[in-house]
Amino acid sequence: MLAKLFFGYYAAVIILLSLLVVTRKNPVRSVMWMLLLFFHIASLYLFLNAEFIAAIQVIVYAGAILVLFLFVVLLLNLREELKVKRFIGSWPAGLFVSAAILAIVINVIRSFVLVAPPGRYSIEYIKEATHTKALGTILYTEYLFPFEIASLVLLIAIIGAIVLAKRKTRSH
Amino acid sequence: MNEILGTIIAPDTMDLLIKYGINILIIFLKIAAVIAVALLHVAYATYWERKVIGHMQVRLGPIEVGPHGLLQPIADGVKLFFKEDIIPANADKPLFYLAPVIFFVSALTSLAVLPFFEGFVIANINIGLLFLFAMSSLGAYGIIVSGWSSNSKYAFLGGLRSASQVISYEIAMGLSLVGVMIMAGSLNLSDIVRAQHQYPTGMYAIPQFLGFFVFVVAAFAETNRLPFDLPEAESELVAGYFTEYSSFRFAMFFLGEYTGMLIMSSISAICFLGGWTIPRFITDAIPFLLNVPGIVWFLVKVYAFMFFYYWVRATLPRYRYDQLMAIGWKILIPLALLNIVITGVVKILVKG
């Protein structure tokens, strides 16, 4: 009962906050609502006993990515930004597509049945081994290859950023 | 009273409620005690800083209010509380109100996971160290938002400087503590202290000297203290991000900064200097020291680190901004990465 109430609160607030993020006129306010949104998502992870993911959610998303968002938004000319229309002209099309995706998701969830037997990583196991250790062990043994591919993708992005920045200084 | 309640609520539910009620009460008392003690420390940290720097510059420091100026922090607090609260006309008011609260609350929340002595910690969580990183990154929002919402050039520049400084040094700080995590095999701060006590030298500062060096430098930058206090450099930016704040809103930034210093000192005491324990070879040589309560050792280490903060402030000049960034990205982060590699290799070799 308590768990359901808890989940209900976070789910409702997350939806409300996401709406606030996209509808606010002032981009700085949007970023601040998004900060609150990230904290609610982190709480939802905590509720799933995924404490490591919750901490990483706050450190990486709130602590690094969103600060960079804020950094960029601060450099915008806010007086002009406030006059610009909030949504582009084709927003009804976007609304239609999102509504269609929502309908698909609802139908998929309805027909979802749990067939596979519960795996090795039960809540008791994770509580005993601590979530960080369980996640680290599986990430660096069973899923090492996908993990390395993900890091390679990030490396390409970093090198790409450096290449773009260098070209810019040379042309000046 | 109990009979009336008993008819409404089943007796076993009643027991459960009493049990939870007492637990919650104990948690509240712990929080109140920790916040009261921490804020008292913060107040007297300012007094101590002025005294230390005064004597280093051959002055007396505060001397007028009370014996040896001991009541000076209280007088300062009362003065700040009764000053006029000025809000700039073009400020973004809600965010202007919010910024000092974010800054102060994120500093105070970090206190929740710090173990002060064996068994005393408000929240004994397995991700204690990550929680501290998360709260220190939240503190950056207080600075950036205050700089932006003040609608003033100096405050804005201070906020921008601080944003880039805090993000850069947070990476170095996080990486410097990875060596400690590898050695202790845990992110729980109490477990880190216990693992350290089992270790021959009793302090990770000795095998992790590289990590400790990076951590100390990053801790100075994270708390915006000299020699890295560029976000509030007086000679360039008046007072940086809190230029437009007055009265108690200013005091919240002030208290938050000193709480941040206390927390950084506590992290270094817990992760590198053995927390509430002292190395076993010392207690083996002088067994009498075992009778000293752990909180004394913890506070001695914290005070020593705080003194180091003041000492550096009185000694070193401020860095230039490009130098600050170069130190962070080109020296500290590679050093911290090197430390992780060395620690990992040694750990595997020792394990065999």
Side-chain angles (χ1 to χ4, degrees):
Chain A
M1 182 57 200
L2 205 65
K4 271 184 187 162
L5 262 178
F6 195 81
F7 177 78
Y9 165 75
Y10 281 101
V13 172
I14 283 172
I15 292 171
L16 188 76
L17 287 173
S18 344
L19 283 176
L20 279 172
V21 171
V22 290
T23 52
R24 292 305 90 190
K25 261 197 152 72
N26 186 333
V28 177
R29 297 266 173 88
S30 285
V31 170
M32 293 313 284
W33 286 119
M34 202 153 163
L35 176 66
L36 203 57
L37 174 68
F38 284 161
F39 271 85
H40 277 79
I41 294 174
S43 313
L44 213 53
Y45 285 132
L46 274 185
F47 169 74
L48 294 170
N49 280 317
E51 56 204 23
F52 181 73
I53 306 277
I56 293 300
Q57 164 80 23
V58 173
I59 295 171
V60 174
Y61 281 88
I65 295 175
L66 202 62
V67 172
L68 285 181
F69 276 21
L70 197 58
F71 208 80
V72 174
V73 163
L74 289 184
L75 297 173
L76 294 175
N77 189 348
L78 198 68
R79 284 199 194 87
E80 273 175 28
E81 200 64 29
L82 286 174
K83 283 179 206 147
V84 174
K85 261 194 174 169
R86 195 79 194 93
F87 297 105
I88 51 171
S90 57
W91 67 268
L95 190 67
F96 176 73
V97 171
S98 359
I101 292 174
L102 184 68
I104 292 171
V105 167
I106 287 172
N107 274 318
V108 166
I109 290 172
R110 262 209 203 141
S111 56
F112 179 76
V113 246
L114 199 69
V115 272
R120 195 148 64 85
Y121 296 93
S122 59
I123 290 172
E124 288 75 36
Y125 175 82
I126 290 195
K127 266 192 184 150
E128 204 207 298
T130 75
H131 181 251
T132 316
K133 211 167 200 166
L135 193 74
T137 316
I138 196 168
L139 204 60
Y140 286 104
T141 53
E142 253 173 84
Y143 296 102
L144 184 61
F145 188 58
F147 181 77
E148 288 298 328
I149 288 176
S151 59
L152 206 64
V153 170
L154 289 175
L155 186 67
I156 291 167
I158 293 171
I159 293 172
I162 292 171
V163 168
L164 283 177
K166 278 225 156 145
R167 197 175 292 158
K168 212 173 179 184
T169 45
R170 220 176 280 151
S171 67
H172 268 285
Chain B
M1 188 67 196
N2 267 334
E3 285 92 55
I4 304 166
L5 273 175
T7 53
I8 306 167
I9 309 165
D12 46 338
T13 331
M14 198 57 192
D15 287 345
L16 211 68
L17 274 180
I18 290 170
K19 214 180 87 189
Y20 275 116
I22 288 173
N23 276 341
I24 290 169
L25 194 72
I26 287 173
I27 291 173
F28 270 113
L29 285 177
K30 266 186 174 177
I31 293 171
V34 167
I35 288 185
V37 172
L39 287 184
L40 204 67
H41 268 83
V42 165
Y44 276 89
T46 63
Y47 168 76
W48 189 29
E49 172 169 28
R50 289 164 73 177
K51 270 286 182 207
V52 166
I53 290 181
H55 281 280
M56 281 180 179
Q57 296 168 343
V58 206
R59 295 183 286 116
L60 283 173
I63 197 95
E64 292 293 331
V65 191
H68 295 280
L70 266 173
L71 296 176
Q72 185 69 43
I74 294 159
D76 284 346
V78 170
K79 183 196 77 174
L80 277 172
F81 199 79
F82 285 108
K83 271 197 164 182
E84 189 188 351
D85 182 22
I86 300 165
I87 293 149
N90 285 327
D92 187 322
K93 288 214 177 57
L95 291 180
F96 190 81
Y97 296 146
L98 188 66
V101 177
I102 295 179
F103 189 73
F104 189 45
V105 167
S106 64
L108 281 185
T109 312
S110 306
L111 291 169
V113 293
L114 296 177
F116 298 105
F117 51 89
E118 178 68 55
F120 187 90
V121 50
I122 295 172
N124 187 16
I125 55 175
N126 284 329
I127 47 159
L129 211 47
L130 295 179
F131 184 87
L132 288 174
F133 294 155
M135 282 306 126
S136 83
S137 56
L138 182 65
Y141 282 92
I143 295 175
I144 305 169
V145 170
S146 68
W148 181 80
S149 63
S150 303
N151 209 349
S152 140
K153 287 184 189 70
Y154 296 124
F156 185 60
L157 284 173
L160 281 186
R161 274 187 180 183
S162 176
S164 41
Q165 175 177 331
V166 171
I167 300 172
S168 311
Y169 278 80
E170 215 160 68
I171 303 169
M173 195 177 80
L175 290 176
S176 72
L177 286 166
V178 172
V180 172
M181 295 174 200
I182 294 175
M183 287 188 77
S186 174
L187 290 173
N188 185 318
L189 292 167
S190 306
D191 287 349
I192 289 175
V193 173
R194 283 183 207 116
Q196 241 171 121
H197 194 52
Q198 298 303 316
Y199 194 74
T201 57
M203 286 181 183
Y204 283 163
I206 298 161
Q208 286 289 321
F209 62 92
L210 214 53
F212 189 47
F213 168 73
V214 174
F215 174 81
V216 171
V217 179
F220 278 76
E222 277 281 300
T223 44
N224 294 325
R225 293 285 298 181
L226 273 162
F228 305 119
D229 70 336
L230 288 137
E232 42 187 288
E234 304 90 347
S235 49
E236 303 156 34
L237 295 175
V238 189
Y241 54 87
F242 54 69
T243 305
E244 301 295 337
Y245 283 85
S246 55
S247 180
F248 215 69
R249 295 186 206 284
F250 164 74
M252 279 169 101
F253 277 114
F254 196 68
L255 292 174
E257 187 185 322
Y258 278 81
T259 315
M261 280 165 65
L262 266 182
I263 285 157
M264 285 297 163
S265 310
S266 308
I267 299 174
S268 84
I270 289 165
C271 292
F272 290 104
L273 302 174
W276 64 81
T277 64
I278 49 170
R280 272 189 299 183
F281 60 84
I282 296 179
T283 46
D284 286 346
I286 320 164
F288 165 74
L289 288 177
L290 282 171
N291 300 326
V292 179
I295 183 80
V296 174
W297 298 124
F298 180 75
L299 285 178
V300 164
K301 287 162 187 171
V302 171
Y303 293 161
F305 202 86
M306 290 291 277
F307 180 77
F308 188 59
Y309 260 115
Y310 305 149
W311 192 7
V312 168
R313 182 182 167 183
T315 316
L316 293 179
R318 186 178 295 135
Y319 276 89
R320 228 171 44 222
Y321 198 70
D322 58 323
Q323 290 173 328
L324 169 93
M325 282 294 155
I327 293 171
W329 288 95
K330 291 180 187 161
I331 300 176
L332 292 185
I333 292 178
L335 269 182
L337 287 172
L338 181 73
N339 182 47
I340 294 172
V341 173
I342 295 173
T343 313
V345 168
V346 169
K347 174 129 185 178
I348 287 176
L349 288 180
V350 168
K351 259 189 169 175

